[in-house]
Amino acid sequence: MKELSHLLEERNIEYDPIKNRIPCFPHMINICVKHIVDDYTTADFSSMEKTWNVCGQIIDKNEYVGAIIGKALERARTLVRTIRASNQRHSNFRDTIVIGNENNWFQGDKGEPIKLPEVELLLDEPTRWDSVYVMLNHLHNLHQAVDMFFDSPNQRSINNKKLSPIEWHFLQDFEVILEPPHRAQQSMSSESTPMLGRMVPVFERLLEDWKQVANSAPHCAPLINIGLTWAEKYDDRMSSTNAYVCRCDV
């Protein structure tokens, strides 16, 4: 863009490389999410209370921070790799879901029998945006089957890969945090021809959604703030970009 502005200046054409730059919308969201994923272990919980209540469950801050410092996200990836590492484990895990559904082993929040989706665990890929959310979503939906699989006597050699209750709780929070950017990505990608004029409103909706999650679940705020800091920088940059301003005024 700077080189283009130099070329145009030589022809007495005024061109601002900053004000006329249109960044890639999915790329901006991915960068914000990547900062959360890469830096979540540095989140500052010093201002949080010693405990907090989530749906009647008391969460201890030290245990929660311990799960973060212990890199719960990396342990989740290891868990998925472990199950997917051999055809036998992969088959046994699927059998756990199928047999569990047939015998009503799995329960909902109120103790009612539920059927788990017969899907695979997916490992996130750095080159696939939104894949961390998808991985956590599948893990969350198959939580009961995963625990049951690792509790099986046949899996004693890999039982140390099983996640603790506080790690599961943290990963569920992480999924909630990544859901707003997931919705934003889906909102734009669902259109056959995404329009520039929709990008700013969708991005601002992402900022508002993150702030709402932080207000309703204050223990998620230290993690959200990592991505929100970057998102607000991009939002300010878009506000000073002529192309966005002109398109949104149309």
Side-chain angles (χ1 to χ4, degrees):
M1 296 291 285
K2 289 183 178 180
E3 181 62 26
L4 176 60
S5 68
H6 294 325
L7 293 173
L8 291 175
E9 283 177 6
E10 294 175 359
R11 293 164 174 78
N12 296 320
I13 300 175
E14 184 178 346
Y15 184 86
D16 191 316
I18 302 299
K19 292 184 178 181
N20 290 284
R21 182 171 182 263
I22 303 176
C24 172
F25 179 74
H27 191 206
M28 288 192 299
I29 295 179
N30 185 59
I31 290 175
C32 297
V33 169
K34 192 174 188 302
H35 278 288
I36 299 177
V37 172
D38 291 346
D39 301 333
Y40 75 95
T41 57
T42 67
D44 183 8
F45 285 81
S46 59
S47 62
M48 292 296 303
E49 300 290 337
K50 292 183 179 180
T51 61
W52 54 84
N53 190 312
V54 179
C55 299
Q57 181 182 0
I58 302 300
I59 305 299
D60 182 85
K61 180 173 77 171
N62 290 334
E63 291 183 4
Y64 192 84
V65 173
I68 294 175
I69 295 175
K71 298 185 176 181
L73 182 59
E74 281 72 13
R75 280 182 44 78
R77 289 179 174 126
T78 299
L79 181 152
V80 174
R81 289 192 190 100
T82 299
I83 293 179
R84 293 168 59 96
S86 73
N87 290 333
Q88 183 175 3
R89 286 179 192 161
H90 185 273
S91 177
N92 289 343
F93 178 67
R94 181 171 181 79
D95 288 344
T96 301
I97 300 173
V98 173
I99 296 174
N101 283 337
E102 292 174 350
N103 291 276
N104 294 324
W105 290 347
F106 310 122
Q107 297 181 345
D109 294 335
K110 298 180 180 180
E112 74 282 8
I114 61 172
K115 305 293 184 183
L116 299 187
E118 296 180 12
V119 296
E120 296 184 15
L121 292 177
L122 299 177
L123 187 64
D124 67 309
E125 292 288 344
T127 57
R128 295 184 179 179
W129 298 348
D130 212 23
S131 63
V132 176
Y133 172 82
V134 175
M135 177 184 73
L136 294 179
N137 181 259
H138 278 224
L139 271 172
H140 178 204
N141 290 332
L142 299 174
H143 176 173
Q144 295 182 60
V146 170
D147 278 351
M148 192 170 292
F149 173 80
F150 280 101
D151 285 338
S152 170
N154 295 332
Q155 309 303 333
R156 288 176 182 171
S157 62
I158 58 172
N159 184 260
N160 62 327
K161 302 297 190 297
K162 181 182 176 181
L163 299 174
S164 67
I166 194 65
E167 286 175 321
W168 277 114
H169 186 84
F170 166 74
L171 293 173
Q172 185 172 350
D173 285 342
F174 214 106
E175 180 192 357
V176 170
I177 292 168
L178 297 186
E179 189 169 345
H182 168 74
R183 285 199 303 266
Q185 292 272 26
Q186 293 297 309
S187 174
M188 295 300 293
S189 62
S190 63
E191 295 186 13
S192 58
T193 307
M195 304 298 291
L196 179 61
R198 283 206 61 217
M199 292 175 63
V200 174
V202 170
F203 198 77
E204 290 180 344
R205 179 73 260 173
L206 165 60
L207 269 64
E208 288 304 313
D209 287 347
W210 260 344
K211 291 175 182 177
Q212 288 179 13
V213 174
N215 288 332
S216 61
H219 64 281
C220 291
L223 297 163
I224 290 174
N225 288 339
I226 297 173
L228 194 57
T229 298
W230 286 89
E232 289 176 339
K233 290 180 181 178
Y234 284 119
D235 189 49
D236 291 340
R237 185 177 299 177
M238 285 192 291
S239 298
S240 62
T241 300
N242 292 341
Y244 284 119
V245 175
C246 293
R247 189 62 189 89
C248 289
D249 286 341
V250 174

